[in-house]
Amino acid sequence: MATTFIHDGISLVKSSPYTTFFLLCALLCLFTRLSTGYQKSRIERQVSLSTKPIPTLPYWLPYLGHALEFGWSFDDLLAKARDNTKDGIFGLHMMGNKHYIVLMPSLVKQFFVQRPSVISSDSFLHWIYDKYFGDSGASKRMPEHDFHKVHGSQGMFMREPFLSTATATTRSLVEERATSLIRLSSDAGKQSVWERSANVALVGEKSAEADLYPLIMDFVASSAGVALMGHAFVENNPGILEDLWAFDSSFSALLTGLPSLMPKMARARAARTRLQAAVKEWNDAVTAMLEERDPGPKWDDLSDVPEAMRLRVKALRDTNSEDIFASVSTLATYWGLMVNANKITFWMLLHIISDPELLENVRKEIGPYARRGVDEQSRLALDVDGLIQKCPLLKATFFETMRLYTAGTSYKNVCQDLTLTESPEDAETLGKPKPQTYHIKAGTFLAIPHGTMQMDPRLWSNPENFDSSRFLVPDGENETQIRADPRHLNAFGGGQSICKGRLFAEREVLIFISGILTVWEFKPAGGKTKIDTPKKYYLGTGSASPKSAIRMVGFY
């Protein structure tokens, strides 16, 4: 009988080779899925061991592993894995490589304290610079020391004098411009760039309708650009925000490195070319100023360029960076500080004005530090120190907005073997009798998907709900006082790769929110009585955009 079976099999192969091939592939995929599923289940049951292997999610395709699912829906894959894993770390198999995903706070803390010699983001940065910013491998060609010198110069955005200077510039611009968020004019020639993008239309003598998302996006960006690059850059590039949004919206698509098969990708690449040209001209002008040469009539006043940006340009010059890398490096800094704070401002403002109780309490809290006279022509006055230090509800609302509407990822290449050990608290959360230790080998990858953690019901009660109070805790021994505590929120990343603009971004958002809430009232357009919060989506960076337009009426 065995001989007959083999003979029939050989006959099938000869008569139907394609059918046989696909049948064997199907059997191989089925075997791969069953064996990897068994391995994961076996490892997860090892709860009594002090040290255990890292379970890898089951997959169907040999070698490819999770690559297709990862590329198709990164967030869905990780959320599904989070809800079905019994460990605080799990593995993905992609293109023959292991990528370990960290999900628990105690493991995250150990991730962030590792030295660059143990885990490094260099390969990830080179990939971003090449595929997204288009430096054609220039960063990778640089001597490692020179690359780190330029990249490390971003640390100046977390220190003085940049923080004070940029904060003062932003405060002054918001005090000056808050009343002009909507000018209440139907004449497009008299409208600002943020009004035109928001399709402002008068609905009364002292009120107008506008699309809230583009209104806030461009209003914040118009001021942030001045604080970062100076007035001359903004004035010499009047259409740069439109290019920046087109470029940002294709972040994921451009990272694939695929040709511009779709019109949106073609527009994003064209926008990137114009952005590179704009920052190159600015780089050249600032370099000329530093060398005491004439930068040209378009750049006759660069006195308001922050010291941090001047030193960054100097680092590019001192390392003899290729022109394309110099342009891309400045573009990366500009992009990083321009495309997130405005989205967070929009979502935070939307949630505050959608909740009458929250709106009343926030206004009451910021009242002593955000003042405006009863006269409509009175200038707004903001006490930034008071807003930052004495408004816990405002700051907690910022934290909650970051939790719900950001989804950044910290990605590292493992250069040396290391171990991560979970805390007793995390072990209890996972239902384990004791903490366990995991070994990660050199040559693999280690990642923290912050958005996946920020929506984990094991870490946050009712994570889908907007609830500022989750970040409010008693302030020391005085039970009558409260403070805002970020808890295990790491939306800005951490360690040496923490977002260098995080401190300014927080100040920036609190300044804009306080200024707008002090001057303006809002209600939904079209006679609606309730503001509906739109669904979110991520097509660009780590901050969400709304899926639908929010038409609002703004009035004094």
Side-chain angles (χ1 to χ4, degrees):
M1 180 175 293
T3 304
T4 303
F5 178 79
I6 294 173
H7 181 270
D8 291 345
I10 294 173
S11 298
L12 176 63
V13 172
K14 290 181 177 179
S15 61
S16 304
Y18 292 110
T19 301
T20 303
F21 173 77
F22 286 115
L23 178 60
L24 290 175
C25 287
L27 290 173
L28 178 60
C29 290
L30 179 60
F31 174 78
T32 301
R33 177 60 181 81
L34 291 174
S35 62
T36 56
Y38 170 75
Q39 288 290 337
K40 176 179 180 290
S41 178
R42 181 181 63 82
I43 292 172
E44 286 186 332
R45 289 196 298 269
Q46 299 174 357
V47 295
S48 61
L49 299 179
S50 297
T51 301
K52 67 181 292 188
I54 299 173
T56 297
L57 294 187
Y59 55 91
W60 293 86
L61 302 175
Y63 183 72
L64 289 176
H66 303 95
L68 297 180
E69 191 175 359
F70 186 89
W72 179 258
S73 183
F74 170 83
D75 294 329
D76 290 344
L77 171 64
L78 297 187
K80 181 180 178 181
R82 175 199 67 205
D83 296 338
N84 290 280
T85 187
K86 298 177 181 178
D87 288 274
I89 182 172
F90 64 86
L92 298 177
H93 182 88
M94 295 188 289
M95 310 302 288
N97 293 312
K98 278 293 178 67
H99 300 251
Y100 295 115
I101 311 300
V102 179
L103 291 176
M104 280 289 132
S106 60
L107 302 181
V108 168
K109 289 180 181 178
Q110 294 167 67
F111 175 101
F112 284 141
V113 299
Q114 300 298 321
R115 301 186 310 275
S117 60
V118 178
I119 56 175
S120 170
S121 60
D122 282 5
S123 58
F124 182 66
L125 291 172
H126 292 321
W127 177 54
I128 295 285
Y129 275 118
D130 181 16
K131 301 302 182 185
Y132 183 58
F133 292 106
D135 81 341
S136 302
S139 69
K140 198 170 184 179
R141 292 192 295 270
M142 292 180 69
E144 184 177 349
H145 175 269
D146 289 346
F147 176 73
H148 288 162
K149 179 177 180 179
V150 173
H151 187 67
S153 67
Q154 291 185 350
M156 293 178 290
F157 296 113
M158 299 177 64
R159 302 192 296 266
E160 300 294 353
F162 175 78
L163 281 176
S164 293
T165 302
T167 299
T169 299
T170 303
R171 184 205 69 231
S172 178
L173 289 169
V174 172
E175 289 175 340
E176 175 188 333
R177 296 178 175 181
T179 56
S180 301
L181 176 66
I182 304 175
R183 296 176 190 269
L184 304 179
S185 173
S186 58
D187 184 351
K190 295 181 180 179
Q191 291 180 345
S192 59
V193 60
W194 52 84
E195 291 176 286
R196 291 192 294 272
S197 66
N199 299 312
V200 169
L202 290 178
V203 293
E205 183 179 346
K206 294 185 178 180
S207 61
E209 283 188 10
D211 292 330
L212 189 64
Y213 180 64
L215 181 74
I216 299 302
M217 282 284 288
D218 284 7
F219 180 65
V220 174
S222 294
S223 298
V226 174
L228 180 64
M229 307 286 281
H231 279 90
F233 180 80
V234 175
E235 293 167 1
N236 289 332
N237 297 282
I240 199 165
L241 293 183
E242 185 176 349
D243 282 337
L244 189 62
W245 307 150
F247 177 52
D248 180 57
S249 69
S250 291
F251 179 78
S252 299
L254 290 175
L255 279 181
T256 65
L258 295 173
S260 302
L261 301 177
M262 303 295 291
K264 184 178 180 180
M265 282 186 68
R267 289 194 296 272
R269 281 198 166 95
R272 181 177 68 186
T273 299
R274 291 190 292 270
L275 288 165
Q276 289 173 350
V279 296
K280 182 183 185 306
E281 187 179 5
W282 182 87
N283 274 348
D284 292 343
V286 174
T287 300
M289 176 189 67
L290 294 174
E291 296 176 350
E292 298 183 349
R293 294 184 285 108
D294 182 8
K298 290 175 60 177
W299 307 97
D300 59 352
D301 185 5
L302 294 170
S303 60
D304 59 350
V305 174
E307 181 68 13
M309 290 301 291
R310 299 186 192 201
L311 292 175
R312 186 165 175 78
V313 172
K314 185 177 183 297
L316 291 168
R317 183 193 63 181
D318 292 347
T319 55
N320 294 314
S321 299
E322 294 180 42
D323 283 348
I324 183 61
F325 176 73
S327 298
V328 160
S329 180
T330 300
L331 174 57
T333 301
Y334 175 69
W335 167 85
L337 290 172
M338 290 288 289
V339 299
N340 289 308
N342 38 16
K343 296 176 186 176
I344 296 304
T345 303
F346 160 77
W347 288 111
M348 183 172 171
L349 176 66
L350 182 66
H351 276 282
I352 292 175
I353 63 177
S354 300
D355 183 338
E357 182 179 358
L358 179 60
L359 175 61
E360 180 182 359
N361 290 335
V362 168
R363 278 184 167 154
K364 181 179 179 180
E365 183 180 71
I366 67 174
Y369 316 107
R371 297 176 177 274
R372 185 179 178 226
V374 293
D375 185 349
E376 291 182 2
Q377 303 304 316
S378 298
R379 184 182 173 96
L380 177 69
L382 299 174
D383 176 356
V384 178
D385 289 340
L387 294 172
I388 295 171
Q389 300 171 12
K390 299 180 181 180
C391 296
L393 178 59
L394 179 69
K395 185 171 284 192
T397 306
F398 170 75
F399 289 155
E400 179 68 342
T401 307
M402 292 291 293
R403 184 194 67 82
L404 203 54
Y405 294 104
T406 64
T409 302
S410 299
Y411 227 108
K412 302 278 189 176
N413 181 34
V414 181
C415 305
Q416 299 178 23
D417 292 357
L418 75 148
T419 60
L420 300 177
T421 302
E422 59 200 7
S423 67
E425 293 79 12
D426 285 351
E428 183 179 357
T429 298
L430 294 164
K432 297 182 180 182
K434 64 179 181 180
Q436 294 185 297
T437 297
Y438 306 90
H439 290 281
I440 297 100
K441 292 183 178 180
T444 57
F445 297 87
L446 202 55
I448 302 173
H450 298 290
T452 305
M453 287 189 65
Q454 288 158 199
M455 298 301 292
D456 191 339
R458 297 171 300 186
L459 304 177
W460 312 94
S461 62
N462 301 312
E464 297 289 342
N465 296 341
F466 190 94
D467 181 9
S468 302
S469 66
R470 72 173 82 241
F471 292 103
L472 293 174
V473 298
D475 188 7
E477 297 180 357
N478 189 345
E479 295 291 335
T480 63
Q481 299 294 319
I482 58 173
R483 61 182 176 86
D485 183 350
R487 300 173 59 195
H488 37 259
L489 178 68
N490 294 293
F492 287 111
Q496 295 201 11
S497 61
I498 193 169
C499 173
K500 302 305 185 289
R502 66 183 180 87
L503 297 177
F504 172 61
E506 180 179 324
R507 296 182 182 194
E508 182 183 10
V509 172
L510 300 188
I511 288 171
F512 276 101
I513 289 292
S514 300
I516 292 171
L517 290 178
T518 301
V519 175
W520 291 93
E521 299 282 353
F522 296 94
K523 64 180 181 181
K528 296 181 179 179
T529 58
K530 181 182 178 182
I531 301 173
D532 296 321
T533 303
K535 293 183 178 180
K536 62 183 178 181
Y537 74 102
Y538 297 92
L539 273 182
T541 56
S543 299
S545 298
K547 279 191 173 181
S548 56
I550 303 295
R551 195 75 176 163
M552 300 292 296
V553 175
F555 56 97
Y556 288 123

